[in-house]
Amino acid sequence: MPFGSGRSSHEDATAAGSAAARAALAGLDGATADLVIVYASIRYDLAALLAGVRAVTGETPLVGATTSGQFIEGEFIPPGPAVSVMILGGGRYRFGTAVVGGISSDTTAAGRDLARRARDAAGSEPTPYGALLLLADGMAGDMQGLLNGLYRVTGAQVPVVGGAAGDDRTFAGSSVFHGGDVVANGAVAVWIGSEQPLRVVSGHGWQPQGLPMLVTRVEGQVVHEIDGRPAAEVYHEGLVDEAESPVPVGARSDWRTAHSFGLIEPDGTQVVRGALLDEQGAVRTFTPLPEYCAVQIVSADQQDLLDVIENVVEDALSDIDDPAVMLTFSCIARLDLLRDREGEEAARLHKAAGSVATFGFYTYGEFARSVGVSGYHNATLTALAL
């Protein structure tokens, strides 16, 4: 599959967009462009940036998101002014793109609508296999609810991968892109029709602390009770080291990134859900935990996080013929924990992938659902190879 990628940190938004797009287009070596993916910092005039990209790529379908850092071909790009562009071409896959707005009012309904629109945009003639690439405003409500809506349309046969948009850790607002539009409180999707099965994978490296527990009272994102006891009391007991490392510049001071919840799936695997203690001392999660779900306190160090990379890459590249690119999504929480080793993740991804190009961004939550019950993650690495 022909592809190209490019990046720019030019101060001018339009110039940055056009420079990254020209570099990406050159990689296609004359092949037809089928899909443009754009990841960009919120520090740009985003409408002008997309105009710069589309001045090069024309009417080729475009999707993307704002970020909290990016990585491209082994290069780590920290939060700040930067744009990365990947262009896929050659006709190996059939792409259908769609966008919905106002998702926070009913994320499940938005997910259903988005999946139907993307599927319809991919054409009336179905392909044997497929996958869904999902990018969503990371601060627009229940991301698991959005996935639940998608699932009602895709069923178990179509895996989902992607990330929640970031905003350079400012928590001022994130956006997604569709065509030349910048959409807050929205989500975009790409239906990827394929002649061969597509594999969505994830890995996190978090280790459980203590025995499984039952969430016995929860209200939205606030966990009130675990095992019938105050959740904050139980959470504090699970902390391995009360004196954690200093908070990275720009990171949330109320988020104890080194400790999270591991939501236990029916097959025994764990989905990481980030947690924080709010100003009132209550335990909050970034997306609601189901009432009466089983959880464990989980923790991770830098080596734990990095050591999952090779397994994720190997799983993503297995059982796919001649992969060309690997779309990858990592979490700002992983970046916070890696600190002085922040560039190692991108470098190890690139090395493990060999001749396969790597392209991704740092998110406010990752999507990876194949056949599991859940599919929204925190502090996790997710990937899809094409």
Side-chain angles (χ1 to χ4, degrees), residues 311-354:
N311 287 338
V312 168
V313 173
E314 182 179 357
D315 284 351
L317 300 183
S318 65
D319 301 324
I320 180 170
D321 296 332
D322 300 320
V325 303
M326 188 171 67
L327 304 179
T328 311
F329 306 87
S330 189
C331 190
I332 189 63
R334 292 175 63 86
L335 199 57
D336 290 346
L337 286 166
L338 290 172
R339 292 184 173 89
D340 56 316
R341 302 177 68 180
E342 61 185 6
E344 289 187 34
E345 183 167 68
R348 284 180 66 164
L349 277 168
H350 183 63
K351 182 178 180 181

Side-chain angles (χ1 to χ4, degrees), residues 24-51:
L25 191 63
L28 267 68
D29 196 26
T32 301
D34 291 338
L35 180 70
V36 181
I37 304 174
V38 179
Y39 299 142
S41 166
I42 62 162
R43 301 177 194 274
Y44 285 120
D45 178 333
L46 295 172
L49 183 142
L50 293 181

Side-chain angles (χ1 to χ4, degrees), residues 6-7 21 50 85 91 110 124 128 155 173 178 202 263 271 276 307 343 354 370:
R7 59 147 298 189
L50 293 181
V85 175
S124 58
H178 188 257
S202 64
L263 174 62
V271 173
L276 60 87
D307 283 347
S370 51

Side-chain angles (χ1 to χ4, degrees), residues 232 277-284:
L277 295 170
D278 67 16
E279 295 177 354
Q280 288 73 44
V283 177
R284 289 181 174 270

Side-chain angles (χ1 to χ4, degrees), residues 42-67:
I42 62 162
R43 301 177 194 274
Y44 285 120
D45 178 333
L46 295 172
L49 183 142
L50 293 181
V53 172
R54 286 168 66 81
V56 176
T57 63
E59 296 301 312
T60 303
L62 181 153
V63 298
T66 55
T67 70

Side-chain angles (χ1 to χ4, degrees), residues 135-209:
L135 306 170
D137 183 339
M139 291 177 281
D142 180 7
M143 294 292 100
Q144 183 60 50
L146 186 68
L147 273 174
N148 293 345
L150 292 172
Y151 185 79
R152 294 181 184 182
V153 176
T154 65
Q157 302 304 311
V158 179
V160 180
V161 73
D167 63 355
D168 285 346
R169 287 201 188 102
T170 64
F171 298 95
S174 56
S175 301
V176 295
F177 313 141
H178 188 257
D181 297 328
V182 179
V183 184
N185 192 17
V188 296
V190 182
W191 190 284
I192 306 171
S194 173
E195 297 298 321
Q196 62 176 322
L198 296 175
R199 184 175 175 83
V200 167
V201 302
S202 64
H204 51 69
W206 290 74
Q207 306 300 320
Q209 309 295 327

Side-chain angles (χ1 to χ4, degrees), residues 235-303:
Y235 185 67
H236 275 295
E237 290 175 357
L239 302 184
V240 176
D241 183 2
E242 190 69 26
E244 299 197 9
S245 302
V247 175
V249 175
R252 291 185 63 149
S253 60
D254 57 354
W255 183 8
R256 302 183 65 88
T257 52
H259 294 90
S260 297
F261 286 114
L263 174 62
I264 302 173
E265 293 275 74
D267 63 358
T269 60
Q270 292 183 330
V271 173
V272 178
R273 292 286 170 83
L276 60 87
L277 295 170
D278 67 16
E279 295 177 354
Q280 288 73 44
V283 177
R284 289 181 174 270
T285 54
F286 291 99
T287 200
L289 288 172
E291 197 164 38
Y292 301 113
C293 69
V295 297
Q296 286 177 281
I297 302 295
V298 295
S299 65
D301 61 27
Q302 292 176 333
Q303 202 60 45

